[in-house]
Amino acid sequence: MNKDIILLRTVEVAAIASYKYIGKKDKNLVDKAAVEAFEVMLKNEKGFILKVINGEGELDNAPMLYVNQMLGDINNPESPIFDVSVDPIEGTNPAAYNFAGSISTIAVSRENTMLQMPEMYMEKLFVKDKYVNTINLADGIVNNVLKMQEQENRKDLRCIILDKPRHYKIIEELNKIGVIVRLIQDGDVLAAIDVVNGEADFVYGIGGAPEGCLMASLAIASGCKMQSRLVLYNEIWPNEEETKTRLNKELAWMSKHNIDTNTILEDFDLVSDYRTRFFAAGLTAGGSLKPISYKKGKFFVNAFMASHGIVRNFNTVYDVNKVNGLKPDIKYLFDKYKR
């Protein structure tokens, strides 16, 4: 079967498996269901192999979807290998407490084209296609916004930014120069989908570095643009017990890759493949991606795909009884995670 259909179905089924735990106030259950769905859907697929480059996280010692795990047709030496970055559920906390901001997502590219990112912070600027040649993150976010405003000849650009204390000063500055700011609690990958779908002009903020590969893939696949730079843990959490340990790991990784916190990383530095593909499905979602719903034995899933500058938004219906009769792997998940 076509690899794209398999990956699209994987994120959709991961959202369906996690649906049971929306609002249950346990983000670990949300994540566990999605991780198992990914594993079940991908571990035995034929015709290709997926290598996890950015997965469940090196700090968590994840038993599944861990970095360098191989999925798919692993016993066939002729199967092509693809790199993947995966976030089974971006926004487990929004899902656990039933507010907007959670999706299931995966990005794929040719072998050895995806950069394995450390578990650290990253400053990211993701802009719509009109600003591909406008931005330069080295100039600072305000100067970039002023250039975009000048290009548009208007001030009321629409920005999405995480509502975190580290962004409060920037939010104030953006408001002063006329930007329409939409605050979110979680989910800068989801926010980037909104930019692609025309719901916002840009996303800015300091979030997770591994998610940067997902956003880079989305930027390349959709014809948009992302620039980023790494941010040391002690800049965000200077007084935490784990700060020193994490800082040492971060510095070692940056030295190995000849990258420092002044290095501006283009999207192509993170995913060096113009044929990269990006997939997502809404859980509690928000913005242009709608939340999953269930009614009378059917799941209604809103999904998204981007590749080669082509953007697709899907409305998919999973009729549980019909699917159970045709797909035993999905039936297993439907039975285990039925509402």
Side-chain angles (χ1 to χ4, degrees):
M1 181 177 287
N2 183 282
K3 176 175 84 281
D4 291 350
I5 294 297
I6 292 167
L7 295 174
L8 178 65
R9 190 166 61 195
T10 296
V11 294
E12 291 174 339
V13 172
I16 289 171
S18 300
Y19 176 77
K20 176 178 182 178
Y21 300 113
I22 292 176
K24 301 297 185 182
K25 300 182 180 181
D26 190 332
K27 65 180 184 178
N28 292 325
L29 288 177
V30 173
D31 191 59
K32 184 178 178 181
V35 169
E36 182 174 12
F38 265 79
E39 187 96 357
V40 168
M41 297 297 291
L42 296 175
K43 66 180 179 180
N44 295 318
E45 282 295 343
K46 301 300 181 183
F48 62 89
I49 298 170
L50 302 177
K51 181 179 180 180
V52 179
I53 303 300
N54 296 290
E56 277 293 87
E58 56 191 349
L59 294 180
D60 300 328
N61 295 314
M64 291 192 287
L65 298 182
Y66 52 84
V67 172
N68 293 325
Q69 182 181 7
M70 309 293 274
L71 297 164
D73 203 1
I74 58 176
N75 294 318
N76 182 359
E78 296 184 3
S79 289
I81 300 174
F82 296 90
D83 292 349
V84 294
S85 288
V86 55
D87 201 341
I89 298 295
E90 184 206 30
T92 52
N93 195 60
Y97 289 88
N98 196 16
F99 61 84
S102 63
I103 60 173
S104 177
T105 181
I106 188 171
V108 61
S109 65
R110 288 175 294 170
E111 185 181 14
N112 298 323
T113 59
M114 223 172 247
L115 183 62
Q116 183 180 326
M117 302 303 300
E119 288 280 347
M120 61 186 297
Y121 284 97
M122 174 180 273
E123 180 185 19
K124 291 170 272 192
L125 175 59
F126 187 107
V127 301
K128 67 182 185 181
D129 52 2
K130 194 170 185 178
Y131 307 133
V132 165
N133 298 313
T134 304
I135 64 169
N136 182 359
L137 188 57
D139 294 337
I141 180 59
V142 172
N143 287 328
N144 275 272
V145 173
L146 290 173
K147 286 190 290 185
M148 289 188 284
Q149 288 176 325
E150 182 180 4
Q151 180 178 332
E152 293 278 17
N153 195 28
R154 61 183 178 88
K155 293 185 176 182
D156 58 344
L157 302 183
R158 298 162 299 165
C159 165
I160 305 175
I161 187 169
L162 290 169
D163 188 10
K164 305 290 185 183
R166 58 183 176 266
H167 296 144
Y168 287 170
K169 183 176 180 181
I170 293 295
I171 292 168
E172 183 180 354
E173 292 177 349
L174 292 176
N175 281 321
K176 284 181 180 178
I177 61 175
V179 174
I180 299 171
V181 176
R182 180 178 128 206
L183 301 178
I184 58 173
Q185 295 300 314
D186 290 272
D188 49 4
V189 181
L190 174 57
I193 294 173
D194 277 356
V195 172
V196 175
N197 278 334
E199 295 288 323
D201 296 303
F202 67 97
V203 174
Y204 172 77
I206 297 173
E211 289 80 6
C213 269
L214 287 161
M215 294 173 69
S217 171
L218 173 58
I220 296 165
S222 65
C224 292
K225 184 68 180 175
M226 188 185 84
Q227 290 184 343
S228 60
R229 71 171 186 90
L230 292 170
V231 176
L232 294 173
Y233 192 78
N234 65 342
E235 293 184 41
I236 310 299
W237 306 106
N239 301 314
E240 298 294 311
E241 284 186 21
E242 61 183 320
T243 296
K244 184 176 180 180
T245 300
R246 290 192 60 154
L247 182 60
N248 289 336
K249 289 183 178 180
E250 292 171 354
L251 293 173
W253 185 93
M254 288 191 294
S255 176
K256 176 182 177 181
H257 293 276
N258 195 29
I259 294 171
D260 61 29
T261 56
N262 293 316
T263 304
I264 302 302
L265 297 166
E266 303 286 343
D267 39 39
F268 207 72
D269 293 322
L270 304 185
V271 182
S272 55
D273 182 7
Y274 286 114
R275 292 182 286 181
T276 184
R277 290 163 164 81
F278 173 93
F279 307 82
L283 188 53
T284 59
S288 61
L289 202 58
K290 305 307 178 187
I292 191 172
S293 63
Y294 176 83
K295 185 177 181 181
K296 296 181 179 179
K298 296 179 180 180
F299 287 98
F300 299 84
V301 187
N302 190 206
F304 173 95
M305 174 185 171
S307 70
H308 298 84
I310 302 166
V311 174
R312 297 177 172 94
N313 288 275
F314 300 89
N315 291 307
T316 308
V317 180
Y318 282 76
D319 185 313
V320 173
N321 288 331
K322 292 179 181 178
V323 174
N324 282 349
L326 295 171
K327 292 292 293 179
D329 49 351
I330 300 181
K331 181 181 186 303
Y332 163 79
L333 294 166
F334 281 1
D335 287 345
K336 183 171 182 177
Y337 294 108
K338 62 185 177 182
R339 185 69 172 181

